[in-house]
Amino acid sequence: MSVFKITVILCNVLSNIVETFLEDQHDWPKTYMKKIIITVIAILLFVITSNAQFRLNLGGNSPLRKLQLAEMAINNLYVDTVDESKLVEDAIRGMLEKLDPHSSYATPKEVKALNEPLQGNFDGIGVQFNMIEDTLLVIQPVVKGPSEKVGILAGDRIVNVNDTAIAGVKMSREDIMKRLRGPRGTKVKLGIVRRGVPNVMYFTVTRDKIPVKSINAVYMIRPEIGYIRIENFGATTYNEFMTSLNKLKAQGMKNLILDLQENGGGYLQAAVQIANEFLTRGDLIVYTEGRKSGRSEFKAEGNGQMLTGKVVVLVNEFTASAAEIVSGAIQDQDRGQIVGRRSFGKGLVQRPIDLPDGSMIRLTIAHYFTPSGRCIQKPYKKGDLKEYEQDFDNRLKHGELTNPDSIHFADSLKFKTLRMQRTVYGGGGIMPDHFVPLDTLQYTRFHRQLALKNIIVNSSLRYIDDNRQQLKTQYPTFEAFDKGFEIPQLVVDQIVAEGSKQKVTPKDQEELERTMPYLRLQLKALVARDLWDMSEYFQIMNEHNHIVKKGIEVISTR
């Protein structure tokens, strides 16, 4: 047992002795006398154990011992009561903040929230929902999920959970989620308000595993050209991807657009599995290397289902980590073309270190390198998280997002692809083969402010809620909807009026007119999402996405 632990035990024992000694003392206030005696004892023990540490040669001069003594001194001597657990957490965070931008500490609650999107499932009732003011509106029940099985429908409002009201009481979204979620097999009683039904309806739902999809759009974007959009790389991504490939091949797909825009990464193994589908046996996908960890290589097995056919990968400034591994492998191995803007540049390998209370340290142990030897990680200053987070603003300010001529690379950052010897660039992130400038005029200031106030989403939810049955009857298929539906002018007018109420107004008539085309497009896509799913949403939005349109052009002409 360490001297530090012995000291803490002695302090606790002496505290009990002092308490007993004071039982018969009446002249001094007990609490005051106890504090004096404990303080003196703690100081003496502190000095004794510190000296003992040196004498016993137990690393008395070590940084770890210094940290232990500091924590003990604060916990036992500080003038006010301290939360020892928080004190330790703050110390851990403080150490990690002085390292790279991606080493981090997470509490048990934060660990659960971080892992859930990547694990592929969670326990719950199985509904997609949104909030209209303070009421939970079911957008879609999960197909074959627990809510659909008992008869809950799109458009239903959940007003109470286990006889506790959740509507009209300004309950936070987090508190509502706590009541809806629970261990698999447990039951929850839901009070439902449904249009056309006068009284509250009650359903008992048995919670179950609810799948979390990481692929949110799969369709034939053009004849012979399939499109797959991956949101992140999780535990189920590879299986989802293979199902998507088979679906598209059955529809005549020969070439593929892989959309990794806004994909923030995830599991390395999922990225390696997907890259393997495109590359021949022995092709290097990625390698990692760090100070304490040697070079570790990941190579293709040559058994993929997309070894032939054209491939285009779409990236932008928010494409990161595992998504950059896939992009870099396909580019360096000359398997396909990259279209868009330089990716984020997150190429640090984190090892999760689980702590006894369920918290976790994610510690950077190595760098990711593409097959040609490019380090994916962009430059950073240790401990300067603020500058790192301002990278997007700096790119915009320097013109990198709007003009490829603003991007300058030193000769030392030039690399060659492995088959065709094309020039590619290091320095952080994946620089695309075909640059697509950011359209800074697409979103007007007026549109951004409407979006920030949730006015656009709330208006679309009200519209679909009022007209769901009529729309389903009028447009039985998405194809009919896509060709024939236009958002009513009344909805647009209501958005402008609501914006005015919340002091969100266009600068002038010109800004209002520039806002309208994209606003109408977005509203149509939101209605499609709520009538069908995210795939239909992207089918509408992609026809006006500059990076997607460039990807179609590139894959059609190569």
Side-chain angles (χ1 to χ4, degrees), residues 259-474:
D259 193 345
L260 301 182
Q261 294 179 84
E262 280 87 42
N263 185 316
Y267 292 149
L268 167 64
Q269 189 58 36
V272 169
Q273 287 177 313
I274 287 176
N276 177 74
E277 292 301 310
F278 299 94
L279 303 176
T280 56
R281 183 175 179 82
D283 284 352
L284 183 61
I285 295 172
V286 65
Y287 68 91
T288 65
E289 197 165 14
R291 180 176 66 94
K292 290 288 187 178
S293 54
R295 175 165 169 150
S296 180
E297 296 184 345
F298 298 83
K299 294 183 177 181
E301 297 175 1
N303 57 352
Q305 292 192 25
M306 280 296 295
L307 300 182
T308 60
K310 301 174 186 177
V311 179
V312 163
V313 182
L314 310 182
V315 301
N316 65 6
E317 54 278 1
F318 302 113
T319 302
S321 190
E324 294 175 294
I325 289 172
V326 174
S327 307
I330 288 176
Q331 187 179 50
D332 281 5
Q333 296 290 358
D334 290 299
R335 177 63 187 89
Q337 298 280 299
I338 312 298
V339 173
R341 293 183 288 276
R342 182 164 67 95
S343 62
F344 182 85
K346 196 276 186 184
L348 298 175
V349 184
Q350 277 78 50
R351 173 176 291 170
I353 301 171
D354 296 318
L355 300 178
D357 64 347
S359 59
M360 177 191 291
I361 292 174
R362 290 178 57 81
L363 188 66
T364 296
I365 61 166
H367 287 85
Y368 287 122
F369 295 87
T370 70
S372 67
R374 293 180 288 167
C375 180
I376 292 174
Q377 179 60 41
K378 63 186 175 184
Y380 61 88
K381 295 178 183 176
K382 288 183 178 179
D384 194 346
L385 185 60
K386 183 178 180 181
E387 181 179 332
Y388 190 79
E389 291 175 340
Q390 290 179 338
D391 182 65
F392 175 81
D393 293 333
N394 291 334
R395 291 192 196 188
L396 187 60
K397 189 185 302 180
H398 297 149
E400 179 183 327
L401 300 179
T402 55
N403 189 346
D405 294 335
S406 300
I407 308 170
H408 303 287
F409 293 99
D411 289 342
S412 60
L413 297 177
K414 291 182 178 180
F415 293 77
K416 296 293 184 181
T417 59
L418 302 184
R419 284 177 170 77
M420 300 173 64
Q421 296 296 298
R422 296 182 301 116
T423 299
V424 289
Y425 298 95
I430 304 300
M431 188 66 190
D433 302 297
H434 301 272
F435 178 82
V436 180
L438 177 67
D439 185 356
T440 55
L441 298 177
Q442 187 174 35
Y443 299 100
T444 65
R445 178 199 57 84
F446 180 48
H447 183 276
R448 288 195 300 270
Q449 290 183 345
L450 288 172
L452 286 171
K453 295 279 188 178
N454 286 326
I455 295 172
I456 299 172
V457 170
N458 287 340
S459 295
S460 73
L461 287 171
R462 289 192 190 93
Y463 173 75
I464 192 70
D465 191 39
D466 292 338
N467 299 278
R468 184 184 301 274
Q469 205 55 49
Q470 177 191 336
L471 290 168
K472 280 284 192 182
T473 302
Q474 188 174 354

Side-chain angles (χ1 to χ4, degrees), residues 1-18 38 41-42 45-46 49 65 68 71-73 75-76 84:
M1 184 180 294
S2 70
V3 177
F4 172 72
K5 289 183 178 178
I6 294 172
T7 303
V8 174
I9 293 170
L10 284 173
C11 279
N12 291 331
V13 171
L14 287 167
S15 177
N16 293 330
I17 294 172
V18 171
I38 292 297
I41 292 171
L45 286 171
F46 181 83
T49 54
R65 178 60 179 158
Q68 289 176 325
E71 192 278 337
M72 187 190 75
N75 192 45
N76 289 284
E84 188 174 8

Side-chain angles (χ1 to χ4, degrees), residues 46 79 92 99 106 128 174 186 226 230 234 278 288 305 332 355 369 416 462 481 510 527 556:
F46 181 83
V79 62
I92 294 172
L99 304 179
Q128 298 176 35
E174 184 176 301
T186 59
I230 305 178
F278 299 94
T288 65
Q305 292 192 25
D332 281 5
L355 300 178
F369 295 87
K416 296 293 184 181
R462 289 192 190 93
F481 174 88
E510 181 188 354
V527 172
S556 299

